[in-house]
Amino acid sequence: MRYLTFAVAKGRLAKKTFELFEQIGIESNMEQKSRKLIFTNEDLKLKFFLAKASDVPTYVEYGVADIGFVGKDTIQEEKKNLYEVLDLGFGRCKMVVAGLKTMQEPYHKNALIRVATKYPNIARDYFYNGKNQKVDIIKLNGSIELAPLVGLSDVIVDIVETGSTLKENGLIIFEHICDLSARMVVNRVSLKMENDRISNIIENLKTLYSQ
Ligand code: PRP
């Protein structure tokens, strides 16, 4: 039997993902604190690796991972060719447009605005296709809330979970773009070649939600 390989996004979602595996009887042998990247379950012929979230869709598209566990934000941003098969129901948050209160009026007046974000594709889709509005998009890699505070951008497109980062920095939500959560994605060929094993995992994960 060949190995079935899982790519798991490092960071916020990883712990919960490995808890899910455990709940459906899959021992990942992952050592949370180690620097090791690949873990194997020889009995079940499974491999698990941790990757940067934004790289998970790439590993799955190329088929080096049959299955990926990653946030919907990353899936939407990366636009890879893969199947999204399951909403895992955790890591719930939303993608929003936010800014300083003083920008709310100019924002709604459709002025040409500067948008800072870690998600340029999502921002482009939202403004150009969704709202038919031309904007300048500035790509950043983190601490996005800083941009409007220091005058780099007028608004941000970013994730809000508890809302405390916005609140602590005096920012408010202007618009809600979409809801997000952790998802299971599958390589297109793997879904055909390993249909029984993958369907089994999907069914087991689904039973967790119906309990
Ligand atoms: C994310 C996001 C917000 C924050 C939202 O950043 O970009 O900054 O979390 O969470 P909250 O609504 O619960 O405050 P993350 O911590 O992942 O790191 P980053 O700022 O480096 O992108």
Side-chain angles (χ1 to χ4, degrees):
M1 190 162 53
R2 75 184 268 276
Y3 282 99
L4 202 60
T5 302
F6 298 72
V8 177
K10 276 199 285 200
R12 289 184 185 217
L13 303 179
K15 192 164 170 266
K16 197 86 187 79
T17 303
F18 284 104
E19 278 170 20
L20 277 193
F21 292 155
E22 242 180 78
Q23 284 174 295
I24 61 167
I26 292 179
E27 178 52 67
S28 64
N29 294 319
M30 199 189 78
E31 300 146 36
Q32 298 264 5
K33 287 196 178 97
S34 119
R35 296 291 296 165
K36 203 173 146 183
L37 294 170
I38 303 180
F39 306 90
T40 310
N41 179 327
E42 292 298 344
D43 297 337
L44 299 175
K45 284 279 176 215
L46 303 175
K47 268 191 190 155
F48 303 85
F49 64 79
L50 285 166
K52 194 172 159 70
S54 52
D55 294 335
V56 167
T58 307
Y59 286 110
V60 176
E61 183 184 51
Y62 279 87
V64 291
D66 302 288
I67 299 171
F69 289 86
V70 67
K72 177 72 177 172
D73 52 319
T74 308
I75 298 168
Q76 260 177 250
E77 180 62 24
E78 297 303 319
K79 296 173 179 282
K80 300 294 181 192
N81 184 14
L82 32 81
Y83 283 120
E84 183 186 315
V85 294
L86 202 58
D87 182 343
L88 299 164
F90 63 88
R92 288 198 184 285
C93 52
K94 54 193 180 184
M95 187 68 71
V96 304
V97 182
L100 288 164
K101 186 132 189 38
T102 49
M103 264 312 293
Q104 201 166 19
E105 213 185 300
Y107 175 73
H108 287 295
K109 278 191 177 148
N110 247 8
L112 176 64
I113 50 161
R114 289 207 287 191
V115 182
T117 186
K118 238 185 332 188
Y119 303 92
N121 287 328
I122 293 177
R124 199 169 297 113
D125 270 359
Y126 183 67
F127 286 104
Y128 282 73
N129 305 330
K131 298 184 64 171
N132 209 7
Q133 181 181 355
K134 190 176 175 331
V135 294
D136 279 341
I137 294 170
I138 303 170
K139 162 87 163 72
L140 292 177
N141 296 298
S143 301
I144 311 302
E145 292 82 359
L146 189 59
L149 302 182
V150 297
L152 178 65
S153 73
D154 301 304
V155 298
I156 60 173
V157 164
D158 200 18
I159 288 174
V160 175
E161 193 181 355
T162 61
S164 46
T165 311
L166 288 185
K167 199 163 171 235
E168 285 181 33
N169 292 291
L171 300 166
I172 57 169
I173 295 174
F174 293 170
E175 278 177 310
H176 173 264
I177 299 180
C178 60
D179 291 323
L180 305 164
S181 57
R183 308 289 160 101
M184 172 172 164
V185 294
V186 180
N187 172 271
R188 289 186 174 270
V189 177
S190 304
L191 196 59
K192 294 197 184 79
M193 306 298 285
E194 292 290 342
N195 191 268
D196 288 353
R197 293 169 87 193
I198 293 174
S199 299
N200 193 260
I201 291 167
I202 296 172
E203 288 316 308
N204 286 339
L205 286 172
K206 278 185 183 165
T207 60
L208 287 182
Y209 308 126
S210 54
Q211 278 168 10

